[in-house]
């Protein structure tokens, strides 16, 4: 980062020379460096999260009691504890947990004895379907809309639209979801309201997610575009005959996307782990809902596996954002060797 | 900076014989001023002719309307300001009332402009090559490959080292001086008839400033140019003729030699007294007291009167731009050569 700061300093050399004699590092190499750094960070993060989770889950209740059910007596409880290793001291349990964690063995679900990680993997494609559709819809709506709003923010039509976007940003996802169900499933009967039943069933959950995230992106892009349109380089381009569309799409938007990329990256991480409410509303068989059910039943092997997986994907999304930045901001691309 | 040399005086004479390329008549640029009875006139009745091969200096303090005059030549006065009166002719063609599509063909193609701040004047996220070729492809009927070649030559011509590699590079990799060279390359790439350099050297260090001035002089010795500056020294370096602006009006105009040696308008006198010179006979710099009228002020009569030590009661009327002896001056009490001898 210090290198970037240096590059932005105005020239102060008495004799005109090239400012930066440093070797240019190819994007591919920088990408590799970023990845390596991220992977190391991720390992530490996973370790920390797993430990936290391990102790938190065991503070919240006795899984053996849940397993035994209402009819279970003391003898049954003892048996279950022994079977799942819950009778050993907590620190020993933790050691075993870590040892298995390294081998990516989260144990079996307490509910149905299936492999916990396997359960999580089963849910991934369903969750990702939703994430990808919502993400794409978000970008398709917000980039042109934001650019349009920001290009001439003083026009009446755009002021009204900007107000609508502002209001939309305040509507929580569960309200959008419930309104959509009421309208399209209950009243009109056009769309299925629960589960993953093909393309039609994707529309409402994806819309719910996109409707929650798009207004934020629209507002950031429109503010950034409005700011960029006042910059000196826009005047330079105008003085060279650039038309409005060139100014907006080729000059201003590119700069505006720098700020928006950070937000979009954060939104993707949110989608991966945080579409929980939406998945619950639409009974969507994804990772979020699996997590909620597992927490409710204290099925901690599954909770651990799910959180573990979400952490990985959140980190993946952040890393991807960093790499995207390398491509869109040339100022980050070069640094001293 | 040095005073006028014989070379520039010769150039002034040749320039005077050239045909008129750009002609501005009674140009008025107004900005709405909410809550006040009158709008603000950033440019207030400016007229001048620019002849082929001439370098015209537009001199004045900040806010005198120099830049607005330049921007209106390209039709890019920032909103909400606009040209409300007057005409601008490029050769025989009136360009101030052209539809935007036509005007865009003038910008960068017939009139090129170099702006003040090279640090912010180039798009930071687009390669230098792409910013140059964008302009070439807009105005010239060439292939992408040819445009890249033209961009390379444009950079090479303004003295940018390893110009070929620079095409791929980005503005932040260059120093301020090199960026200003890129800006100049961008303004020149389509070979416009008229170049406007708006404080093109102001944001640079003194040594780089001299280099850029050399470049302008060398590359544009035969070009037709308007050089906007608040620095009389810079104007003296490369201009043939000078127009002094104050509060949106031209207050004095003449050849560089005339203006430097015998300024007529008290404001010009003041500007020249404020130029540092390496001359021990001149005791010290004399600043002009006060500040020019701002966009909020409503000006009656001579706008310079409040700061003028020669002001008299008749200065509450606006002085017209008239010949005082040999020169156009807008002043009721010009510093005439005949009077000065007394």
């Amino acid at each position: 980062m210090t290198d970037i700061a240096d590059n932005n300093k105005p020239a102060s050399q008495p004799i005109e020379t090239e400012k930066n004699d440093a070797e240019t590092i190819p994007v591919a190499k920088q990408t590799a460096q970023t990845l390596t750094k991220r992977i190391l960070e991720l390992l530490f993060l996973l370790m920390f999260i797993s430990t936290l989770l391990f102790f938190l889950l065991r503070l919240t209740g006795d899984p053996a009691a849940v397993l035994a059910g209402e009819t279970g007596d003391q003898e049954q409880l003892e048996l279950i504890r022994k079977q799942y290793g819950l009778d050993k001291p907590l620190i020993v349990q933790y050691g075993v947990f870590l040892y298995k964690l390294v081998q990516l063995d989260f144990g079996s679900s307490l509910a149905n004895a299936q492999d916990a990680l396997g359960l999580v993997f089963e849910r991934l494609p369903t969750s990702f379907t939703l994430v990808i559709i919502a993400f794409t819809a978000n970008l398709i709506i917000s980039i042109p809309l934001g650019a349009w709003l920001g290009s001439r923010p003083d026009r009446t039509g755009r002021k009204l639209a900007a107000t609508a976007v502002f209001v939309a940003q305040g509507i929580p996802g569960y309200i959008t979801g419930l309104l959509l169900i009421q309208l399209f499933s209950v009243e009109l009967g056009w769309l299925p309201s629960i589960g993953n039943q093909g393309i039609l069933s994707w529309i409402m959950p994806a819309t719910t997610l996109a409707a929650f995230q798009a207004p934020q992106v629209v507002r950031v892009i429109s503010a950034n575009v409005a700011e960029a349109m006042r910059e000196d380089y826009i005047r330079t381009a105008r003085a060279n005959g650039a038309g409005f569309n060139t100014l907006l799409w080729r000059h201003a938007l590119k700069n505006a996307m720098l700020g928006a990329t950070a937000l979009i990256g954060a939104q993707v991480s949110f989608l991966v782990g945080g579409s929980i409410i939406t998945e619950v509303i639409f009974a969507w068989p994804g990772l979020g809902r699996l997590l909620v059910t597992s927490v409710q039943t204290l099925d901690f092997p599954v909770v651990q596996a799910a959180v573990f997986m979400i952490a990985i994907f959140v980190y993946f999304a952040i890393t991807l954002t960093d790499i995207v930045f390398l491509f869109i901001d040339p100022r980050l691309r070069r640094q001293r060797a | 900076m040095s005073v006028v040399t014989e070379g520039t005086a010769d150039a002034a004479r040749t320039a005077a014989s050239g045909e008129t390329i750009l002609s501005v008549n009674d140009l008025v640029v107004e900005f709405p001023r909410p809550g006040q009875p009158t709008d603000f006139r950033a440019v207030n009745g400016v007229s001048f002719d620019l002849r082929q091969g001439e370098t015209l200096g537009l001199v004045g303090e900040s806010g005198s309307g120099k830049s607005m005059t330049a921007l209106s030549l390209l039709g890019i006065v920032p909103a909400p300001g606009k040209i409300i009166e007057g005409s601008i002719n490029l050769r025989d063609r009136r360009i101030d009332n052209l539809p935007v599509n036509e005007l865009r063909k003038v910008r960068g193609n017939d009139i090129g402009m170099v702006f003040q701040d090279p640090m912010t004047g180039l798009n930071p996220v687009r390669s230098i090559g792409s910013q140059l070729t964008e302009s070439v492809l807009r105005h010239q009927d060439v292939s992408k490959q040819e445009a890249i070649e033209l961009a390379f030559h444009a950079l090479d011509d303004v003295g940018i080292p390893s110009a070929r590699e620079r095409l791929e590079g980005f503005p932040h990799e260059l120093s301020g001086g090199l960026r200003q060279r890129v800006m100049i390359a961008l303004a020149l790439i389509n070979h416009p008839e008229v170049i406007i350099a708006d404080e093109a050297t102001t944001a640079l260090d003194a040594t780089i400033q001299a280099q850029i001035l050399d470049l302008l002089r060398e590359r544009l010795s035969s070009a037709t140019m308007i050089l906007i500056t608040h620095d009389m020294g810079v104007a003296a370096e490369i201009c043939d003729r000078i127009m002094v602006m104050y509060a949106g009006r031209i207050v004095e105009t003449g050849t560089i030699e005339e203006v430097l040696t015998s300024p007529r308008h008290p404001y010009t006198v003041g500007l020249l007294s404020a130029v540092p010179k390496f001359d021990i006979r001149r005791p010290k710099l004399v600043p002009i007291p006060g500040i020019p009228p701002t966009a909020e002020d409503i000006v009656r009569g001579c706008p310079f009167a409040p700061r003028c030590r020669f002001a008299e009661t008749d200065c509450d009327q606006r002085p017209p731009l008239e010949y005082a002896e040999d020169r156009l001056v807008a002043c009721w009490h010009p510093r005439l050569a005949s009077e000065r001898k007394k």
Side-chain angles (χ1 to χ4, degrees):
Chain A
M1 290 308 272
T2 50
D3 303 321
I4 297 158
D6 282 349
N7 282 346
N8 287 337
K9 267 185 214 155
S12 56
Q13 294 95 324
I15 300 160
E16 189 175 346
T17 49
E18 284 179 50
K19 243 182 353 165
N20 195 346
D21 298 330
E23 288 291 306
T24 297
I25 306 173
V27 177
K29 198 179 168 197
Q30 274 196 65
T31 309
Q33 287 172 345
T34 309
L35 274 177
T36 319
K37 196 175 136 232
R38 284 285 182 212
I39 288 170
L40 285 175
E41 280 176 10
L42 176 62
L43 290 178
F44 278 103
L45 180 83
L46 289 177
M47 176 75 194
F48 177 74
I49 286 183
S50 304
T51 305
L52 196 68
L53 212 61
F54 176 86
F55 289 105
L56 278 180
L57 277 174
R58 276 152 187 81
L59 284 177
T60 46
D62 182 359
V66 179
L67 280 175
E70 284 177 11
T71 53
D73 52 23
Q74 199 58 37
E75 205 173 313
Q76 252 177 316
L77 275 178
E78 291 299 325
L79 200 69
I80 289 168
R81 290 210 172 101
K82 205 162 191 139
Q83 191 183 340
Y84 287 96
L86 297 171
D87 54 340
K88 300 204 177 72
L90 203 56
I91 193 74
V92 177
Q93 286 187 43
Y94 178 61
V96 171
F97 167 75
L98 280 187
Y99 176 68
K100 287 188 169 173
L101 184 73
V102 176
Q103 304 164 52
L104 288 181
D105 179 4
F106 291 90
S108 309
S109 161
L110 302 185
N112 55 15
Q114 273 183 281
D115 178 48
L117 198 61
L119 271 176
V120 170
F121 272 122
E122 245 172 54
R123 297 294 187 100
L124 281 183
T126 338
S127 267
F128 275 126
T129 310
L130 206 54
V131 169
I132 290 166
I133 298 173
F135 172 72
T136 316
N138 182 358
L139 291 193
I140 291 176
I141 296 165
S142 19
I143 293 177
L145 186 59
W148 180 72
L149 286 177
S151 61
R152 298 257 167 88
D154 47 336
R155 302 266 170 110
T156 316
R158 285 168 235 227
K159 274 186 189 160
L160 289 175
T163 313
V165 170
F166 183 67
V167 172
Q169 194 186 341
I171 302 174
Y174 57 88
I175 293 196
T176 319
L178 292 176
L179 287 176
L180 286 175
I181 291 175
Q182 180 65 26
L183 182 63
F184 291 105
S185 302
V186 180
E187 300 286 333
L188 299 169
W190 290 353
L191 300 171
S193 68
I194 53 161
N196 179 7
Q197 313 168 39
I199 295 179
L200 278 185
S201 65
W202 301 349
I203 297 176
M204 287 199 297
T207 310
T208 305
L209 285 173
F212 178 64
Q213 298 199 324
Q216 303 173 353
V217 185
V218 170
R219 279 163 52 82
V220 167
I221 292 183
S222 100
N224 288 357
V225 164
E227 197 188 319
M229 289 298 270
R230 290 191 293 268
E231 294 282 348
D232 283 353
Y233 56 79
I234 293 291
R235 190 182 58 182
T236 308
R238 264 189 97 195
N240 279 294
F244 183 73
N245 283 326
T246 310
L247 295 179
L248 177 58
W249 301 107
R250 297 200 54 192
H251 286 277
L253 185 61
K254 246 185 151 163
N255 282 279
M257 287 312 290
L258 296 182
T261 302
L263 173 68
I264 293 167
Q267 286 189 338
V268 172
S269 353
F270 172 83
L271 277 182
V272 171
S275 52
I276 295 175
I277 293 172
T278 308
E279 288 195 5
V280 169
I281 291 174
F282 291 98
W284 187 261
L287 201 53
R289 196 155 145 266
L290 176 70
L291 189 61
V292 172
T293 3
S294 315
V295 168
Q296 281 165 350
T297 56
L298 281 181
D299 191 348
F300 54 81
V302 178
V303 174
Q304 276 156 356
V307 170
F308 194 81
M309 200 49 85
I310 288 171
I312 290 178
F313 281 111
V314 167
Y315 226 72
F316 180 72
I318 295 171
T319 309
L320 204 63
T321 313
D322 280 2
I323 292 169
V324 168
F325 261 117
L326 283 182
F327 281 91
I328 62 173
D329 191 347
R331 283 165 293 192
L332 300 181
R333 222 175 284 164
R334 286 146 202 255
Q335 41 188 238
R336 276 186 199 126
Chain B
M1 300 277 166
S2 74
V3 261
V4 63
T5 62
E6 277 175 34
T8 47
D10 284 345
R13 247 165 266 132
T14 33
S17 60
E19 63 176 306
T20 299
I21 290 194
L22 191 73
S23 171
V24 177
N25 296 298
D26 285 320
L27 185 71
V28 178
V29 175
E30 247 183 25
F31 283 78
R33 187 157 51 173
Q36 293 219 41
T38 53
D39 289 339
F40 169 61
R41 293 196 161 184
V43 179
N44 197 351
V46 164
S47 305
F48 64 93
D49 284 345
L50 188 65
R51 289 182 285 270
Q52 175 129 42
E54 175 185 44
T55 299
L56 174 67
L58 214 51
V59 183
E61 283 164 292
S62 311
S64 59
K66 304 169 301 214
S67 294
M68 281 305 153
T69 306
L71 293 176
S72 51
L73 297 181
L74 286 168
I76 53 171
V77 173
K82 58 181 177 216
I83 301 175
I84 59 151
E85 269 174 45
S87 64
I88 300 163
N89 287 282
L90 186 68
R91 292 193 180 277
D92 298 326
R93 185 167 169 231
R94 188 163 172 193
I95 56 168
D96 59 293
N97 57 359
L98 288 176
V100 173
N101 281 349
E102 290 298 309
L103 200 51
R104 280 176 44 206
K105 291 179 191 154
V106 173
R107 297 174 188 157
N109 195 29
D110 296 317
I111 305 176
M113 189 154 176
V114 184
F115 291 98
Q116 173 170 6
D117 193 347
M119 304 314 278
T120 54
L122 293 164
N123 194 328
V125 300
R126 291 198 38 199
S127 73
I128 289 161
S130 85
Q131 299 188 49
L132 289 165
T133 52
E134 181 188 297
S135 184
V136 173
L137 292 169
R138 186 178 302 127
H139 296 302
Q140 298 183 37
D141 186 22
V142 293
S143 70
K144 185 90 198 279
Q145 201 51 48
E146 287 166 323
I148 293 172
E149 271 315 294
L150 288 172
F152 160 69
H153 286 297
L155 290 184
D156 203 42
D157 284 349
V158 294
I160 289 178
S162 46
R164 181 84 51 197
E165 287 77 55
R166 286 289 164 229
L167 290 175
E168 306 275 314
F170 289 86
H172 71 274
E173 298 158 14
L174 303 178
S175 64
L178 282 177
R179 284 193 220 187
Q180 192 59 299
R181 284 173 193 261
V182 174
M183 295 285 280
I184 292 170
L186 186 59
L188 296 179
I189 196 163
N190 291 308
H191 308 291
E193 264 190 297
V194 179
I195 310 281
I196 305 169
D198 185 357
E199 303 275 11
T201 60
T202 306
L204 306 170
D205 311 342
T207 37
I208 312 272
Q209 191 172 353
Q211 288 179 24
I212 297 292
L213 276 178
D214 279 344
L215 173 72
L216 287 176
R217 202 162 22 197
E218 175 192 320
R219 287 277 287 125
L220 303 170
S221 56
S222 62
T224 311
M225 176 158 81
I226 298 177
L227 181 93
I228 298 174
T229 181
H230 63 267
D231 186 340
M232 271 289 189
V234 169
E237 291 266 318
I238 52 176
C239 294
D240 305 317
R241 212 151 54 87
I242 278 196
M243 257 173 27
V244 182
M245 282 190 77
Y246 190 80
R249 296 187 180 122
I250 297 173
V251 295
E252 176 163 7
T253 168
T255 65
I256 182 79
E257 203 182 27
E258 290 169 343
V259 173
L260 287 182
T261 51
S262 60
R264 296 273 191 268
H265 197 284
Y267 179 58
T268 319
V269 175
L271 279 182
L272 287 171
S273 313
V275 176
K277 281 182 188 149
F278 296 110
D279 185 346
I280 46 167
R281 279 168 299 176
R282 284 190 35 153
K284 60 175 180 183
L285 296 180
V286 186
I288 305 174
I291 51 160
T294 65
E296 281 76 40
D297 295 328
I298 292 173
V299 179
R300 286 190 189 83
C302 174
F304 187 62
R307 302 171 71 188
C308 181
R309 60 197 167 103
F310 307 108
E312 289 174 30
T313 47
D314 53 351
C315 292
D316 59 357
Q317 297 295 312
R318 181 185 162 186
L321 187 64
E322 284 177 340
Y323 275 102
E325 291 180 339
D326 54 344
R327 203 158 334 138
L328 282 170
V329 179
C331 181
W332 295 118
H333 310 284
R335 310 285 92 204
L336 298 176
S338 49
E339 284 178 16
R340 213 177 280 182
K341 283 184 189 123
K342 286 179 209 167

